[in-house]
Amino acid sequence: MDFESPDVEKDFPGLYASESGRKSNESDFSDGADHEKPSKKDLLGRRKEKKEKKDRGYAALEGESSPEEDTDTKSPSKSKKTKSFKFPTKSKEKREKSRDKEKVLEDAAKQREREEKEKKKEKEREKEREREKKEKEKREKLREKDKEKEEKAKFKLESKEKLKDEKKDKTKDKDKEKVKEKEKEKVKEKDKDKKDKKLTKVPSTFTCGVPFEEIFTLGVALPIFGVPLAQSVERSRCHDDTGLPLVVRDSIDYLQAHGLKSNQIYRTEPDKIKLQQLKKLFTDRGPTFPYHWDVPVACAMLKTFISELPDSVLTQELHGQFEQATAIAEPQREATMLALIAKLPPHNYSLLGWLIRHFECVVANEQANHANIQTIMTAMGPALNMSLNLLTYLVSKAEKLFPDVQLTKYVPPLASIPPDFPETAPELSLELRKQESLLNQIHAEMHAGFITPARDQQLWEAQRIVTQLKRKLRSVQKSVEPQNSLQPQHASLDERHEHKTEEEPVRRNSQPSQPSAPPQVQPETQLTPQEPPEVKTPNEPFLDPKESPSQEPIFEAEFEDNFEFKPDIAIKETPEQEAPPAEPVKEKPKLTEKELKVLRLELENAEYLQLKSLLQAKINSEQFEIVKLRSHVALKNKAEGGQTTKDSKENNVQDEQELRQRLIKENALLEQKRINLINQIFQERVACIQLKIELAMKEILSKS
Amino acid sequence: MFSALAYQLSSKFLEEQKCAPVKRRTMSKKPAAQPTLHKVIMVGSGGVGKSALTLQFMYDEFVEDYEPTKADSYRKKVVLDGEEVQIDILDTAGQEDYAAIRDNYFRSGEGFLCVFSITEPESFDATQEFREQILRVKNDENIPFLLVGNKSDLADKRRVPLDSCRERAQHWQVPYVETSAKTRDNVDKVFFDLMREIRSRKSDDSRATNGDVKGKKRRKIKCAIL
């Protein structure tokens, strides 16, 4: 019993990796990954079951394991006969045990009660098995829907596929109804279970009565594999502005740390089970641990992710041009390549950059790992959809083509407030940026309707860390300010807007002899080598993630990606802004025009960043409102379908069409609303931002 | 230099990562080991003093400068009637800009301090809306809730009559308290009153769901308090 206690499991998640995956709330989502490769999963599933059965042999008190359980993870095509791969018996047991704990002090009367309950439980268990069988069907169906949604990014509901899909839904509607009823019964029967049920069941959102997360799971509704790159980044990103999906970053990080000297790299086939497990973890946004990784698995993970992207890394439009460019003679070739690379969308740019720089490292270690470009080509070529020539060229010129990509290990945002909180302002603001990014992601997920106690907790935790960071940052700034009136003000302003300290203008200011010639000054200052390309245009696509000032252009680039209307405005604004700072510059020679511009751009950037996250949240919520509506229609269909007999198919079709039309109208309205909203907000926001920047600038100038 | 720093951080982080989830999970698993946690949410229009109240309660400081809050969260250990508990305070934005973010927090809040400024009738009117929003999200008429009239130190500028405040509170069947974040008047009281409400609410809930035996136990505790 001690063995199985929940705490032990938490301490050693690895021991229970396969099971804990099932128990946690989010594990319910995992089916998404399973369905994608049913055959593999099949195999994997069965093996796992066997393993777990053994484990249970010791732990199970009542020997509830039944032969049906082996069918848990079968392919969706057989889903009618199968069940979801949760472990009813297991979780039951757990529930019971945790209850036991609560009742340690209680008397014998309780025991009688428990015996009764166990009888009830036996019944319930059967019901639950049935229920889970059906839940799986539900999920599968929803995944289909979701896939469809991905394909038609703009929710063109007019398409006929929708209709078809809904018909399909109908066939399973009745089952769903039963499921619901059963659940109700269960709740009545056993109020006690409620508390512990959090493990498997999740409270509903406030907008609809149906437990939302039971229908949609994060991994299913917001997959990260097989969706456009930008979406994948949006859903599971590194919070440090590299613009990489977490799965890619983790894989490359692992290979950089452990793979470069290994002769397995890009050569050995991975352990399929391990690969699937890891993929599932990423899909469910679960944490990974070292034992999940090895070199072949990391390689395969990269490969899987890239090959499942709907579009080539080089993008469909540019792919041909890239290949053609390899045929050009040398002097022009590099220029052409650079031009083509600059045309890549920011996410593609960073993905390609990281991959190529990583391959460069692999090849550079050929002595140790015996992997050359041919080896990489064999492993990754099909996924990357590149010719050997092109890959060879990119890798050999990696440094020139991606000068600003630095392979740095990802440091995720802090999960809790550590005793040794970062002390310096740059560290604090760096962490603050990460936390804000994390917070935005949590908000987006919650807006999408994925509300679990765990996510709630995470949200409060992240918010608390943000608050603490802000407070600390403020106090650090205050302590610095009295020492030097000018320098810290620069710093404080930047930081307040969640930038890393912009040390450069500060340093420049400290050298009053050359105040107005920043580019020349730079070599003399103690800047790190990465910083010189600092005087950059806002349109530069992607720059080194770790160095402070370069963060700015990345976001500019992101804006281009997300809101096409923004850059124009941003560009328009810049010339206007040059006018006001010009005057003070004359009065206070310490602040060059350039610095002011940089400062202003930074302020602007920070403001736009905030705006972006806000709009993103709104867009997300609108999108998921639509998804929710669709699920409601499906449920309504079911309800009506339950009432009418099967013969009245014509009526059903009519109803369906009506519903569909209503939905189309609703969605069109929603879409309209969303667009209006965004426009309105944006216009107002731009005005606000301008005012805020004006204020901030005035403040700086008056203080300096 | 930066990469060195990054690596230092990362190695630290790896340890963190290993410990943190464990810590957090055990916490949620074993409420006995960790003091009970009450989640309080501050709502009200912009500039009424939600952050001021929070900061006064948390750190005994009064901040004169007004800086709009987006969202801030604090945790503090306090002794509530002899029992050590933790309070999580979420300070929300008064501005409508952040309403979308606010909603996510409302859902997980266990008690609400609805703050307005007695010098600002508009903020008093807005409390109606906040109340409705909370009831909508929580779907619970009896959610622990306090109506708080802040800035009681500015009595000479008072523009919301005490009677209408009391009337509204009575209508909602919630307590009404006047505070001053500046003088710290009643600041602790509102937080502790709310926590008591949350606690009694929780014990009611657990009695309802956990049957009689559990209920008896809780009731005993409650009697001790009274």
Side-chain angles (χ1 to χ4, degrees):
Chain A
M1 179 160 168
D2 290 317
F3 242 21
E4 293 292 308
S5 92
D7 303 309
V8 171
E9 191 196 324
K10 300 302 172 194
D11 286 322
F12 304 102
L15 261 173
Y16 297 84
S18 48
E19 300 158 7
S20 64
R22 284 152 206 230
K23 272 176 236 152
S24 74
N25 288 329
E26 297 186 327
S27 69
D28 290 11
F29 322 153
S30 49
D31 293 37
D34 302 343
H35 293 308
E36 268 157 43
K37 298 226 169 124
S39 54
K40 278 184 203 168
K41 185 67 212 171
D42 216 345
L43 205 132
L44 156 71
R46 259 185 237 137
R47 269 208 235 169
K48 257 197 224 156
E49 295 308 327
K50 271 179 208 161
K51 233 193 270 170
E52 277 169 22
K53 257 189 150 181
K54 269 183 220 160
D55 286 353
R56 254 182 307 133
Y58 297 107
L61 298 170
E62 299 151 312
E64 314 97 315
S65 57
S66 70
E68 299 152 49
E69 279 158 19
D70 273 348
T71 61
D72 275 356
T73 47
K74 275 198 179 143
S75 77
S77 58
K78 296 174 198 163
S79 59
K80 290 230 163 154
K81 287 167 201 162
T82 60
K83 321 187 309 166
S84 99
F85 67 119
K86 236 187 296 165
F87 245 160
T89 50
K90 194 85 193 166
S91 55
K92 276 282 161 192
E93 227 175 275
K94 279 206 62 151
R95 262 175 240 159
E96 201 187 3
K97 245 167 251 159
S98 50
R99 214 180 297 128
D100 284 350
K101 265 192 186 169
E102 287 168 21
K103 292 174 196 165
V104 166
L105 298 172
E106 287 162 23
D107 51 30
K110 198 72 199 167
Q111 258 183 340
R112 245 183 291 136
E113 215 179 295
R114 212 182 301 154
E115 275 163 27
E116 277 174 31
K117 243 171 250 160
E118 265 163 27
K119 276 178 207 162
K120 274 187 198 168
K121 241 180 275 162
E122 282 296 335
K123 281 180 210 161
E124 266 178 48
R125 223 167 277 136
E126 277 169 27
K127 275 179 196 163
E128 202 173 79
R129 267 173 222 144
E130 265 183 274
R131 183 173 66 95
E132 276 162 7
K133 205 189 295 171
K134 279 153 197 171
E135 255 176 27
K136 199 187 177 186
E137 287 170 14
K138 235 192 280 175
R139 254 176 249 141
E140 177 200 335
K141 180 190 65 199
L142 287 163
R143 199 189 61 87
E144 276 171 27
K145 268 200 203 167
D146 191 64
K147 224 184 187 177
E148 188 197 315
K149 191 195 91 195
E150 299 294 346
E151 285 160 12
K152 302 177 273 161
K154 287 292 169 191
F155 296 99
K156 306 249 171 182
L157 294 173
E158 297 84 6
S159 78
K160 287 170 193 168
E161 276 172 78
K162 178 87 207 302
L163 190 65
K164 267 191 242 161
D165 215 42
E166 269 170 20
K167 274 180 190 162
K168 260 187 254 164
D169 295 352
K170 275 222 136 178
T171 59
K172 289 163 191 168
D173 286 340
K174 277 190 179 171
D175 292 351
K176 264 207 240 161
E177 182 78 342
K178 276 182 211 160
V179 171
K180 262 177 105 188
E181 280 168 18
K182 236 160 241 170
E183 258 168 40
K184 274 179 209 159
E185 279 172 32
K186 242 176 90 180
V187 170
K188 273 180 215 160
E189 234 177 62
K190 252 192 181 219
D191 283 339
K192 273 214 152 182
D193 266 1
K194 258 188 196 166
K195 233 209 246 163
D196 299 307
K197 223 174 225 168
K198 278 176 198 162
L199 286 170
T200 49
K201 220 178 102 186
V202 170
S204 60
T205 60
F206 72 106
T207 42
C208 54
V210 189
F212 192 64
E213 200 127 359
E214 220 167 81
I215 306 175
F216 293 97
T217 57
L218 193 56
V220 172
L222 301 174
I224 57 169
F225 288 91
V227 297
L229 183 59
Q231 232 162 32
S232 189
V233 175
E234 192 58 50
R235 288 171 184 177
S236 171
R237 61 183 160 225
C238 306
H239 297 289
D240 63 354
D241 310 325
T242 40
L244 283 177
L246 190 60
V247 48
V248 172
R249 180 67 174 269
D250 280 353
S251 305
I252 294 180
D253 276 356
Y254 185 85
L255 291 175
Q256 287 291 119
H258 305 100
L260 292 181
K261 308 277 182 203
S262 157
N263 60 7
Q264 293 183 312
I265 194 164
Y266 295 114
R267 190 174 288 123
T268 313
E269 281 291 304
D271 180 348
K272 290 270 184 320
I273 293 171
K274 244 179 144 174
L275 180 65
Q276 285 300 323
Q277 210 174 23
L278 192 60
K279 190 177 170 190
K280 209 171 81 185
L281 275 172
F282 275 111
T283 308
D284 298 342
R285 327 285 202 267
T288 61
F289 294 92
Y291 55 80
H292 288 124
W293 291 93
D294 61 42
V295 172
V297 161
C299 296
M301 205 63 228
L302 264 183
K303 185 179 161 186
T304 311
F305 180 81
I306 293 164
S307 62
E308 285 185 22
L309 285 176
D311 198 5
S312 150
V313 178
L314 300 174
T315 72
Q316 225 148 35
E317 308 89 72
L318 298 175
H319 183 260
Q321 296 180 47
F322 268 106
E323 292 292 354
Q324 280 165 17
T326 53
I328 303 173
E330 190 34 75
Q332 284 98 18
R333 183 159 58 168
E334 196 180 310
T336 319
M337 282 290 183
L338 276 170
L340 283 172
I341 287 170
K343 277 192 206 165
L344 284 172
H347 296 309
N348 294 61
Y349 174 86
S350 42
L351 177 56
L352 185 66
W354 275 70
L355 282 172
I356 298 297
R357 290 304 287 257
H358 163 62
F359 294 155
E360 187 193 16
C361 294
V362 174
V363 174
N365 285 291
E366 197 181 336
Q367 293 284 343
N369 60 30
H370 305 292
N372 54 24
I373 197 79
Q374 189 64 55
T375 323
I376 295 174
M377 188 63 202
T378 316
M380 299 294 286
L384 289 167
N385 193 18
M386 276 186 210
S387 65
L388 180 60
N389 275 345
L390 178 58
L391 187 67
T392 313
Y393 180 78
L394 289 176
V395 171
S396 61
K397 295 271 181 184
E399 212 173 334
K400 278 186 182 157
L401 296 174
F402 305 98
D404 41 5
V405 173
Q406 301 281 325
L407 304 186
T408 46
K409 190 159 167 47
Y410 178 49
V411 185
L414 298 172
S416 59
I417 299 174
D420 52 343
F421 223 40
E423 287 294 332
T424 64
E427 278 177 302
L428 284 168
S429 13
L430 175 70
E431 187 57 38
L432 189 55
R433 283 183 62 81
K434 282 186 192 170
Q435 292 291 346
E436 298 247 338
S437 167
L438 174 66
L439 210 52
N440 283 336
Q441 189 170 302
I442 300 172
H443 275 301
E445 282 169 8
M446 292 184 95
H447 279 293
F450 296 102
I451 297 143
T452 62
R455 194 161 295 118
D456 268 344
Q457 210 182 335
Q458 204 190 359
L459 181 69
W460 284 65
E461 192 89 35
Q463 187 68 67
R464 200 160 47 241
I465 296 172
V466 166
T467 304
Q468 287 308 310
L469 284 166
K470 279 186 188 161
R471 278 184 68 82
K472 185 123 190 193
L473 200 56
R474 224 170 286 150
S475 70
V476 167
Q477 281 159 16
K478 263 180 198 158
S479 65
V480 176
E481 250 169 66
Q483 291 165 19
N484 185 318
S485 61
L486 180 68
Q487 293 186 11
Q489 257 142 34
H490 272 275
S492 69
L493 222 123
D494 293 334
E495 285 153 16
R496 201 174 300 149
H497 293 272
E498 292 135 38
H499 277 264
K500 288 182 72 182
T501 30
E502 235 267 338
E503 286 177 46
E504 234 221 312
V506 180
R507 282 190 190 154
R508 256 185 261 147
N509 288 334
S510 59
Q511 297 187 327
S513 53
Q514 294 163 297
S516 58
Q520 284 90 340
V521 176
Q522 273 169 2
E524 293 167 35
T525 55
Q526 305 158 333
L527 296 172
T528 47
Q530 288 95 343
E531 272 184 292
E534 213 266 340
V535 191
K536 57 192 76 110
T537 61
N539 290 326
E540 229 169 299
F542 186 84
L543 285 145
D544 173 37
K546 285 283 169 184
E547 296 307 322
S548 53
S550 51
Q551 285 171 352
E552 187 187 357
I554 299 165
F555 284 99
E556 298 278 354
E558 265 178 24
F559 285 136
E560 277 169 34
D561 191 33
N562 293 326
F563 305 100
E564 285 138 273
F565 48 97
K566 271 184 191 168
D568 305 318
I569 292 164
I571 289 159
K572 267 184 236 154
E573 281 160 4
T574 7
E576 287 166 21
Q577 289 148 15
E578 280 173 36
E583 296 167 50
V585 164
K586 281 169 201 160
E587 296 161 19
K588 278 130 187 160
K590 275 187 176 179
L591 288 169
T592 65
E593 209 176 314
K594 197 136 215 161
E595 287 160 9
L596 279 171
K597 235 200 273 179
V598 168
L599 209 72
R600 184 182 280 274
L601 277 171
E602 247 161 52
L603 291 176
E604 209 172 275
N605 190 251
E607 294 292 341
Y608 276 123
L609 261 178
Q610 269 191 345
L611 177 56
K612 184 201 156 196
S613 60
L614 209 83
L615 290 178
Q616 205 72 53
K618 284 189 195 220
I619 287 170
N620 279 340
S621 65
E622 291 283 340
Q623 279 180 348
F624 283 93
E625 191 65 39
I626 293 169
V627 178
K628 267 188 229 168
L629 281 171
R630 282 166 71 178
S631 77
H632 282 312
V633 168
L635 288 170
K636 272 180 199 161
N637 271 347
K638 164 196 66 191
E640 284 163 24
Q643 286 158 12
T644 55
T645 51
K646 280 177 188 172
D647 304 337
S648 58
K649 268 180 189 168
E650 281 180 26
N651 281 342
N652 283 351
V653 172
Q654 267 193 342
D655 285 350
E656 229 172 83
Q657 274 176 341
E658 272 172 39
L659 279 164
R660 195 173 64 99
Q661 277 181 337
R662 213 172 64 203
L663 244 184
I664 290 168
K665 273 184 199 167
E666 263 176 57
N667 278 324
L669 270 173
L670 276 173
E671 190 75 11
Q672 194 77 38
K673 262 190 210 165
R674 199 190 70 176
I675 290 163
N676 285 344
L677 211 80
I678 290 172
N679 282 338
Q680 243 181 9
I681 292 165
F682 180 72
Q683 280 165 7
E684 281 162 19
R685 267 298 175 147
V686 166
C688 283
I689 286 166
Q690 284 312 306
L691 287 171
K692 274 186 196 168
I693 292 166
E694 216 53 59
L695 254 171
M697 291 299 284
K698 288 250 163 70
E699 208 177 303
I700 298 165
L701 291 174
S702 67
K703 274 180 188 167
S704 63
Chain B
M1 186 193 109
F2 262 103
S3 60
L5 242 171
Y7 269 97
Q8 222 182 337
L9 268 175
S10 71
S11 55
K12 247 186 236 165
F13 204 85
L14 273 177
E15 287 158 32
E16 275 295 330
Q17 224 180 4
K18 278 172 207 157
C19 308
V22 175
K23 258 189 241 159
R24 264 189 297 158
R25 274 180 216 164
T26 44
M27 198 175 80
S28 63
K29 277 275 171 194
K30 284 196 285 185
Q34 207 75 23
T36 335
L37 182 64
H38 300 309
K39 288 181 172 178
V40 171
I41 295 185
M42 314 285 297
V43 296
S45 333
V48 298
K50 296 181 294 298
S51 304
L53 282 173
T54 312
L55 291 173
Q56 184 64 270
F57 177 72
M58 284 295 299
Y59 306 109
D60 297 313
E61 61 187 36
F62 180 64
V63 188
E64 292 271 1
D65 324 329
Y66 176 55
E67 197 187 313
T69 310
K70 189 174 164 191
D72 276 318
S73 168
Y74 305 86
R75 173 171 289 179
K76 192 181 187 179
K77 266 187 194 161
V78 290
V79 178
L80 176 66
D81 306 318
E83 180 195 3
E84 192 178 69
V85 297
Q86 278 193 76
I87 180 169
D88 258 8
I89 305 171
L90 194 102
D91 185 13
T92 61
Q95 286 73 17
E96 271 310 299
D97 313 22
Y98 302 118
I101 292 169
R102 204 165 50 200
D103 269 10
N104 284 337
Y105 290 111
F106 276 16
R107 230 164 287 141
S108 48
E110 293 167 338
F112 294 82
L113 287 181
C114 187
V115 188
F116 67 93
S117 161
I118 59 162
T119 65
E120 210 187 317
E122 296 79 22
S123 71
F124 180 61
D125 297 340
T127 55
Q128 186 77 47
E129 216 168 289
F130 282 110
R131 167 90 179 168
E132 278 160 20
Q133 204 183 344
I134 290 163
L135 293 189
R136 200 174 57 235
V137 172
K138 297 300 288 185
N139 197 16
D140 177 3
E141 285 280 341
N142 301 318
I143 186 85
F145 188 102
L146 250 72
L147 185 61
V148 179
N150 192 30
K151 309 198 185 178
S152 65
D153 52 302
L154 301 174
D156 49 328
K157 291 185 190 157
R158 180 179 199 115
R159 287 178 59 206
V160 184
L162 187 61
D163 289 345
S164 44
C165 304
R166 289 205 171 124
E167 197 182 308
R168 180 165 293 179
Q170 201 170 14
H171 176 63
W172 290 344
Q173 296 183 313
V174 299
Y176 174 67
V177 184
E178 294 211 339
T179 59
S180 165
K182 194 172 183 178
T183 64
R184 211 170 202 275
D185 189 32
N186 278 341
V187 170
D188 283 341
K189 179 183 161 60
V190 286
F191 284 100
F192 278 93
D193 282 0
L194 186 64
M195 275 191 281
R196 281 187 196 106
E197 282 210 28
I198 296 172
R199 186 182 51 191
S200 75
R201 184 61 203 272
K202 277 179 184 164
S203 63
D204 284 353
D205 282 353
S206 64
R207 196 182 317 153
T209 51
N210 280 6
D212 285 334
V213 185
K214 201 101 195 178
K216 262 179 215 161
K217 218 171 124 195
R218 295 282 166 130
R219 222 175 286 148
K220 250 182 210 166
I221 293 170
K222 205 180 160 192
C223 287
I225 298 154
L226 292 169

